[in-house]
Amino acid sequence: MYRFFILSCMALTAALSACSTTKQAPDTSIKTSSVIAPEWRKLGCAADDAAPRMSGWHRLAGRTLEVSSLADLKLQDKEVILSFDDGPIPGRTDKVLTILDRFGVKGAFMMVGEMAEMHPALARRVAEDGNTIGSHTYDHADLTSLDFDAAMAEVVKGELAVTKATGTDVAFFRFPYLAESHRLRAAIAMRDLVVMDVDVDSKDYFAITPASVTQRTMDLLHKRGRGIILMHDIHKRTATMLPTLLSELEAEGYKVVTLKFKKTQAPSNLVASADLVTTR
């Protein structure tokens, strides 16, 4: 199995590119319509391919947290949520899924609608593996640069595309570039979408070594003690560094929380009132 994993790491498909969460130096080893700007320096192959061996049983999986709003998303000390933006993309997302599975944990995947449309089988696999599904607009637009109606149209189009590709309802959302407004946030919440914020930004979209991404993430996490970690399943360095990151989290006693959406129910008195009106 390990041999298959190594071979799959070497057999990457032709480079595609995607977007980052900020407008700084995204990874252009991948090509999509979401590219923002060129990455000015490339990584050495040795650093990219140096992934540790994973074996044995893991104790990294934590509780399942059911939330119906952002207010419910409260983590305890040494609890983390692994979130991945901008995918899915073959050769990257599938590696991330394999690594998560080996460690027995789940992630929250905030999918770009057009990416889900391009790779529906992979999008569906993410959902079928038990991961949390969210949307990240249709084509990673900066919603604050659009008027309100256009911004919401972008949100809805992305949500519908991800729902269709994954075959499951979308219950979470993250703003591209984390660029938002109070009005947009309120309108998105009215669609029964939980907005995913970020506590620890790995900045895996910068042209740095996988080891540097891991170190930065752990350093920030040590300061906070818990939180939602932002990564991107479209970058090679992310899949390369992920086993090391998960190993360090496990060694330090962190637990990975699985997110699940809980639909809110109307108060019983309202339901009773509705029944009474219906019978009259």
Side-chain angles (χ1 to χ4, degrees):
M1 188 69 179
Y2 175 69
R3 181 183 179 189
F4 172 78
F5 173 67
I6 291 297
L7 290 175
S8 67
C9 287
M10 299 174 64
L12 288 175
T13 56
L16 298 167
S17 176
C19 40
S20 62
T21 302
T22 70
K23 297 180 181 179
Q24 298 172 311
D27 187 343
T28 56
S29 61
I30 315 174
K31 303 293 181 188
T32 72
S33 61
S34 305
V35 66
I36 308 302
E39 182 176 296
W40 296 110
R41 54 194 179 93
K42 297 181 180 180
L43 296 174
C45 294
D48 281 344
D49 296 332
R53 180 182 295 272
M54 297 172 287
S55 61
W57 294 96
H58 295 279
R59 299 178 180 178
L60 190 56
R63 63 186 173 127
T64 296
L65 178 60
E66 294 188 342
V67 301
S68 56
S69 68
L70 184 61
D72 299 327
L73 214 167
K74 296 178 180 179
L75 299 177
Q76 301 171 4
D77 190 38
K78 289 215 165 182
E79 285 188 333
V80 298
I81 293 171
L82 306 173
S83 66
F84 301 89
D85 285 7
D86 294 0
I89 190 166
R92 310 289 170 93
T93 303
D94 43 343
K95 289 181 186 177
V96 169
L97 293 176
T98 298
I99 295 166
L100 294 179
D101 183 62
R102 291 193 180 191
F103 278 86
V105 296
K106 306 299 179 184
F109 288 78
M110 306 293 111
M111 297 184 185
V112 172
E114 66 176 353
M115 299 299 288
E117 280 185 348
M118 290 169 62
H119 312 291
L122 185 54
R124 185 175 291 271
R125 179 188 164 189
V126 175
E128 290 177 346
D129 278 3
N131 296 286
T132 304
I133 303 298
S135 61
H136 197 42
T137 71
Y138 183 75
D139 62 5
H140 205 273
D142 180 345
L143 299 185
T144 59
S145 68
L146 306 174
D147 65 46
F148 178 78
D149 290 340
M152 287 307 299
E154 172 76 11
V155 171
V156 173
K157 186 177 180 180
E159 179 188 346
L160 294 176
V162 174
T163 298
K164 181 178 180 180
T166 60
T168 187
D169 291 336
V170 173
F172 297 85
F173 175 84
R174 178 173 280 147
F175 285 95
Y177 314 110
L178 304 182
E180 61 175 277
S181 69
H182 292 302
R183 186 182 182 190
L184 284 171
R185 182 179 276 261
I188 289 169
M190 289 294 291
R191 294 187 59 80
D192 286 332
L193 291 173
V194 178
V195 176
M196 286 281 286
D197 290 324
V198 174
D199 299 314
V200 176
D201 188 350
S202 71
K203 294 195 182 295
D204 55 352
Y205 44 85
F206 281 135
I208 57 179
T209 65
S212 297
V213 177
T214 303
Q215 188 63 55
R216 171 187 168 79
T217 303
M218 293 304 299
D219 287 346
L220 291 173
L221 191 56
H222 290 154
K223 295 178 181 179
R224 296 188 62 93
R226 73 193 78 179
I228 302 171
I229 301 174
L230 169 62
M231 294 172 282
H232 299 78
D233 53 314
I234 60 171
H235 298 310
K236 182 179 180 180
R237 69 180 64 88
T238 304
T240 301
M241 72 86 177
L242 190 57
T244 301
L245 176 65
L246 297 184
S247 294
E248 291 194 18
L249 290 173
E250 186 172 32
E252 295 188 19
Y254 286 90
K255 295 293 184 181
V256 174
V257 170
T258 300
L259 276 183
K260 184 177 181 181
F261 183 70
K262 178 177 64 176
K263 290 185 178 181
T264 56
Q265 295 181 342
S268 58
N269 61 328
L270 292 182
V271 175
S273 298
D275 290 341
L276 181 60
V277 170
T278 303
T279 56
R280 286 182 176 177

